[in-house]
Amino acid sequence: MAPSIVKRYAIAFNQYKVVGFVAFALCVAGAGLLSLSEPPPPSYKATSALAGSTPAIPLSTTGPVIHEEGKAALTEEFLIDQQVIESVASQVGVDPKQVASASVRLPAPEEPPFYYVTYKDSTPERAETVLGLLMEAMVAKSLAFNQSRLNSMIEEMEKRMPEVQAELEAAEEKLVQFDRVEGAIFLEAETGSLQTEVVGAQTSQRAARQKIEVLTASIAALERQLGLSADEAYTSGALSQDPIVNSIRGQISQIETQQALQAETLRPEHPQMRAFQQQISGLEGLLESRAAEIIGGGGMGAPLPTSDRIRVSSALDPLRQEMAGRLISLKLDLENTQRELDIAQRSEQDAMRKFVNLPDLQLERERIAREVAIKKGFYDQLQTQLLDARTARDETTSNLTIAQAPEVEETVTPPPNVILLVLGGTIVGLGVGGAAIFLLSALEGRCYTMEEVSKAFSSRDIPVLGTIPQLIDFETYDDEAMLTIVDPESPYLEYYERLRSNIVRSGEKAPPKVITITSCGAAEGKTITTYNLAIAAARAGKRTLIIEADLRSPSQVAALGLSINPDSLLEPLRHYDPARNNMRLVPGVENLYVISTPGPQAQAVAIVESSELRALIETARARFDFIVIDTPSLSRCNDTLTIETLTDGLVLVGRPGFTQTSLVAEQAAAIEEAGEKMTVIGSVVNGAEITIELPPLPEEALLDEATEITAQVHEEDYSTSLELSAPDGRDSYL
């Protein structure tokens, strides 16, 4: 069997052979016309050479570097660019395209530095003039390139110089500010004053601590003798020395004395006794108020809670008052000494902090000094480079010099070889024609062989369950009608039986019982596959039902020897009602029933989504062993997607010459997006170029015709059989 690519090309050749022949004829005709053309007039080739120049003894270091860069830039695109071409063309007055035909051969790395320039023209004088101007323009361009590089460097450095200078000045100012702020610390460390400050602070602390110990012991001794703390002594002393407190205390004592005398004869409830008590309470209130004024304003003592305590605290004798004064004086001295100790400690901490931070400060200053040195070095280097670049600009030269003046020689082109031109045109024509045929077939996007159809499905993870050959009526060898394998001896029965067996084995848990047959596009053979698959199942002893659910096309039950029920056209929705029992037995095929379609219908969607159709499928599932549902193609409408949810899976039908890879990819992507809502069992390749053994004709006169048709089925040019259509204008594969 020939490879798939050969089969495809044979089919494409038969379909687009006119285009191929036209392309071939055009190529041959073009070669013939070219061979008859007159030879071109003589041309004049001017040749000259440019040599790489060596600069004089340079005074700068930048000059040689720029010279080497200019040498590396000497390419053909650089030397003969649009600017040079237009300049020379305007001087000579020729077309710039003619000047652009000049070429430069660059020297190889191991060759001497010579650049050979060539130019062709129709006159020798103009050829010499144009080449001379070209060489002068190349030399000038090399010089301009070197000068522009130096100017760019100088401009960039001059632009950078103010920024570098500003950075240097900022770094120097930072160092000055650091020395101004932190320089005293380094001076103190160098002169030893910082150590002296630490020692002095430590000595002051020791003296203060000793004095604090002495004062603390003296205060404790006085507090024990006096029985009061320093704060209490301050309060008692202040109260004892206040005349108002003493006066109030004396009045309270007098009244208490009178109250005690009267208490011997009067009861506490007596008005006189109550008056005494009220006077005492009033005086105690005055005493507490006065005590609060004395001890509360200074903040030295705490307010006394009761008048009794105030009277006791204010009754100090002169000796105890003196002791209280000494205690208060010692307490104040202790507080002052404590403050001196705190000041000495802070002084020591400040000095020690300076000692601790001194290494960091030294490192910081070194860092700033290094930064200043780096920026100073960069500034000096930039100044040096700028001066060097300015010197190099004054001494720069071109990388090229004219080594040889233009030399002109005449070139005569021989007439074309007619035989070689025609032979070359023939070969090119064959290639162009063949490529045009193959390109047109590729742009069409169809699968022309059964291998291409199988690949279109398998590339989308849709397994191929069966391959069915082209169907032919063996009695008349007519392949224009929609044929069904009602004959039990049909050689096609085994192909459909193999397809049915593969469908049954495809189920993971249970064999599919209700399947949907459809195709991606039109005329791919879904209806004939539905009929013959159902016949194969019935021949296998399965109680089988065909449901025509393609409500967009007429019924095809005539191919089974049945007529269309006229009532179904009047009430299409009720036609699918299981209660009406519209299942009809197919004559000649045992166990096969069919429910025809009332289509085409304007309200097909309403019927497809109706409860009658759903109930019909559920009822049929219970009554039949195998149910095959014929539905519209996926590219036509969404009826198939709705019906598939009521079945166990979907079988896609493809056919060489009609299946489009883009349409298969589009529908497969839509099925993948549906996810678990749709189940694809597999695919079928219809109308495949498979050799089958035909039975003999009943009459000898038809033997030659049968042989010819069989050969047409088997030959690689399969496109003829793909273009056949039924007498009513519809393709035989529905």
Side-chain angles (χ1 to χ4, degrees):
M1 180 178 291
S4 175
I5 187 67
V6 176
K7 297 178 184 178
R8 179 182 180 87
Y9 192 81
I11 297 171
F13 178 80
N14 187 71
Q15 187 171 358
Y16 299 107
K17 55 189 175 183
V18 175
V19 177
F21 286 139
V22 171
F24 172 77
L26 290 175
C27 291
V28 174
L33 292 175
L34 186 61
S35 65
L36 297 176
S37 61
E38 296 182 359
S43 62
Y44 298 91
K45 179 180 178 182
T47 306
S48 64
L50 295 170
S53 64
T54 303
I57 299 175
L59 300 177
S60 63
T61 58
T62 308
V65 176
I66 295 297
H67 193 81
E68 288 299 321
E69 292 181 359
K71 181 180 179 181
L74 296 179
T75 62
E76 185 174 1
E77 295 79 9
F78 173 79
L79 295 175
I80 307 180
D81 63 353
Q82 192 64 30
Q83 182 180 1
V84 172
I85 292 171
E86 292 178 355
S87 175
V88 174
S90 62
Q91 295 180 55
V92 182
V94 297
D95 188 0
K97 294 182 180 179
Q98 178 65 25
V99 179
S101 63
S103 62
V104 178
R105 188 178 72 83
L106 304 178
E110 66 277 0
E111 293 180 349
F114 288 102
Y115 300 80
Y116 295 95
V117 187
T118 304
Y119 173 72
K120 290 182 180 181
D121 207 318
S122 58
T123 62
E125 296 80 7
R126 192 165 59 190
E128 182 178 1
T129 302
V130 170
L131 187 58
L133 293 175
L134 279 174
M135 291 192 299
E136 293 175 0
M138 293 177 187
V139 173
K141 184 173 183 182
S142 175
L143 175 60
F145 176 79
N146 293 341
Q147 290 178 344
S148 65
R149 289 284 297 120
L150 284 169
N151 290 332
S152 299
M153 292 177 59
I154 293 172
E155 182 180 354
E156 185 64 27
M157 286 188 288
E158 288 177 347
K159 186 187 300 182
R160 181 81 170 113
M161 182 63 70
E163 181 181 354
V164 174
Q165 185 176 1
E167 292 178 356
L168 174 61
E169 293 175 354
E172 292 175 344
E173 179 63 24
K174 185 177 181 181
L175 180 61
V176 171
Q177 290 295 334
F178 184 86
D179 290 339
R180 186 177 300 164
V181 175
E182 306 294 347
I185 298 177
F186 296 106
L187 183 61
E188 291 178 359
E190 292 176 358
T191 58
S193 60
L194 192 60
Q195 295 88 335
T196 303
E197 182 180 352
V198 173
V199 173
Q202 292 176 349
T203 303
S204 299
Q205 291 180 50
R206 286 193 297 269
R209 289 191 182 95
Q210 292 175 358
K211 186 175 180 180
I212 288 173
E213 291 178 0
V214 173
L215 292 174
T216 302
S218 300
I219 290 172
L222 285 175
E223 286 179 346
R224 285 194 301 271
Q225 295 177 5
L226 191 58
L228 297 173
S229 64
D231 294 337
E232 292 174 345
Y234 173 80
T235 302
S236 298
L239 294 175
S240 298
Q241 295 178 4
D242 187 69
I244 297 176
V245 172
N246 292 329
S247 174
I248 295 173
R249 191 181 69 239
Q251 293 178 18
I252 293 174
S253 298
Q254 292 177 1
I255 296 173
E256 286 178 347
T257 302
Q258 294 177 7
Q259 185 180 21
L261 294 175
Q262 295 294 332
E264 295 178 358
T265 58
L266 299 177
R267 290 183 300 176
E269 293 82 7
H270 193 272
Q272 185 64 33
M273 297 297 290
R274 290 182 178 178
F276 288 151
Q277 188 62 38
Q278 289 177 356
Q279 291 177 1
I280 293 173
S281 298
L283 292 173
E284 287 178 348
L286 293 175
L287 183 63
E288 292 176 359
S289 176
R290 180 57 181 173
E293 293 177 359
I294 295 173
I295 66 178
M300 296 294 294
L304 296 175
T306 61
S307 60
D308 294 339
R309 182 62 181 168
I310 295 173
R311 291 170 63 187
V312 172
S313 299
S314 61
L316 292 179
D317 54 64
L319 180 59
R320 289 173 62 83
Q321 287 183 6
E322 181 184 357
M323 293 176 63
R326 288 167 52 196
L327 179 59
I328 293 171
S329 177
L330 291 175
K331 181 64 180 294
L332 292 176
D333 196 6
L334 177 62
E335 291 176 352
N336 292 331
T337 306
Q338 186 65 45
R339 282 192 291 271
E340 293 175 358
L341 177 61
D342 293 340
I343 293 172
Q345 288 177 343
R346 284 196 297 271
S347 299
E348 182 186 9
Q349 290 174 358
D350 292 341
M352 292 301 295
R353 185 165 52 252
K354 292 179 182 179
F355 263 121
V356 173
N357 293 336
L358 185 61
D360 294 337
L361 293 175
Q362 291 174 343
L363 292 176
E364 178 65 16
R365 191 185 187 287
E366 292 176 0
R367 185 189 66 79
I368 297 175
R370 283 197 304 270
E371 183 179 354
V372 171
I374 291 172
K375 293 186 181 300
K376 183 66 168 61
F378 182 65
Y379 176 78
D380 294 341
Q381 182 182 4
L382 188 60
Q383 286 274 29
T384 303
Q385 290 179 352
L386 179 59
L387 180 61
D388 187 77
R390 289 171 177 169
T391 304
R393 182 175 57 183
D394 297 333
E395 64 184 18
T396 184
T397 60
S398 175
N399 288 86
L400 296 174
T401 58
I402 299 176
Q404 178 184 338
E407 297 180 357
V408 182
E409 61 177 297
E410 183 179 4
T411 303
V412 179
T413 304
N417 191 320
V418 178
I419 298 176
L420 291 178
L421 281 176
V422 174
L423 180 60
T426 303
I427 296 174
V428 172
L430 290 174
V432 172
I437 292 172
F438 193 83
L439 180 61
L440 288 174
S441 65
L443 292 177
E444 190 178 10
R446 294 183 183 274
C447 301
Y448 282 97
T449 62
M450 64 179 184
E451 291 85 359
E452 292 179 349
V453 177
S454 300
K455 184 178 179 181
F457 285 121
S458 59
S459 63
R460 288 294 180 173
D461 296 332
I462 301 176
V464 179
L465 303 174
T467 304
I468 310 299
Q470 178 79 12
L471 296 184
I472 299 175
D473 189 343
F474 300 130
E475 295 183 358
T476 63
Y477 289 97
D478 181 13
D479 58 352
E480 294 185 352
M482 192 191 82
L483 304 177
T484 55
I485 54 173
V486 294
D487 185 3
E489 302 299 329
S490 173
Y492 299 106
L493 182 60
E494 63 172 302
Y495 293 96
Y496 285 102
E497 173 56 34
R498 190 177 304 153
L499 171 61
R500 185 196 66 83
S501 177
N502 290 336
I503 292 175
V504 170
R505 290 199 305 270
S506 65
E508 296 181 359
K509 298 181 180 179
K513 188 174 183 180
V514 183
I515 64 172
T516 303
I517 305 293
T518 187
S519 60
C520 294
E524 296 190 60
K526 62 178 184 60
T527 301
I528 195 170
T529 301
T530 301
Y531 277 43
N532 290 331
L533 177 61
I535 292 173
R539 294 292 186 195
K542 305 296 182 182
R543 185 177 174 84
T544 307
L545 173 64
I546 300 174
I547 300 177
E548 288 188 331
D550 187 354
L551 298 171
R552 316 280 177 164
S553 304
S555 175
Q556 300 296 320
V557 294
L560 299 175
L562 298 173
S563 60
I564 300 176
N565 185 4
D567 295 339
S568 64
L569 303 177
L570 298 177
E571 297 179 308
L573 184 59
R574 297 187 61 188
H575 173 71
Y576 288 109
D577 191 346
R580 296 177 63 89
N581 195 16
N582 287 325
M583 303 176 186
R584 302 168 66 186
L585 179 64
V586 177
V589 182
E590 188 179 357
N591 297 324
L592 181 61
Y593 295 81
V594 63
I595 297 178
S596 62
T597 175
Q601 293 293 322
Q603 301 295 330
V605 177
I607 299 175
V608 169
E609 297 178 355
S610 65
S611 59
E612 285 80 2
L613 182 59
R614 180 184 296 271
L616 173 63
I617 295 176
E618 295 299 326
T619 303
R621 186 187 289 272
R623 293 178 57 186
F624 289 88
D625 300 323
F626 194 66
I627 304 167
V628 188
I629 303 177
D630 181 32
T631 59
S633 60
L634 294 173
S635 62
R636 189 175 185 184
C637 59
N638 291 334
D639 294 355
T640 302
L641 304 180
T642 303
I643 296 174
E644 193 278 335
T645 58
L646 308 176
T647 66
D648 298 332
L650 180 72
V651 176
L652 291 171
V653 178
R655 180 185 176 190
F658 294 89
T659 299
Q660 300 181 20
T661 55
S662 60
L663 201 56
V664 172
E666 178 183 350
Q667 300 302 331
I671 292 173
E672 290 177 0
E673 290 180 1
E676 298 180 355
K677 296 181 180 180
M678 292 190 65
T679 302
V680 179
I681 299 174
S683 60
V684 181
V685 180
N686 241 334
E689 56 272 23
I690 299 176
T691 302
I692 59 173
E693 184 178 354
L694 299 177
L697 290 173
E699 299 180 7
E700 186 67 18
L702 298 178
L703 181 59
D704 293 338
E705 183 181 358
T707 304
E708 181 181 358
I709 295 177
T710 304
Q712 291 178 356
V713 175
H714 300 161
E715 68 180 357
E716 295 176 356
D717 183 8
Y718 194 66
S719 62
T720 303
S721 63
L722 299 175
E723 297 172 355
L724 295 175
S725 59
D728 59 355
R730 300 188 333 104
D731 196 280
S732 59
Y733 278 73
L734 303 179

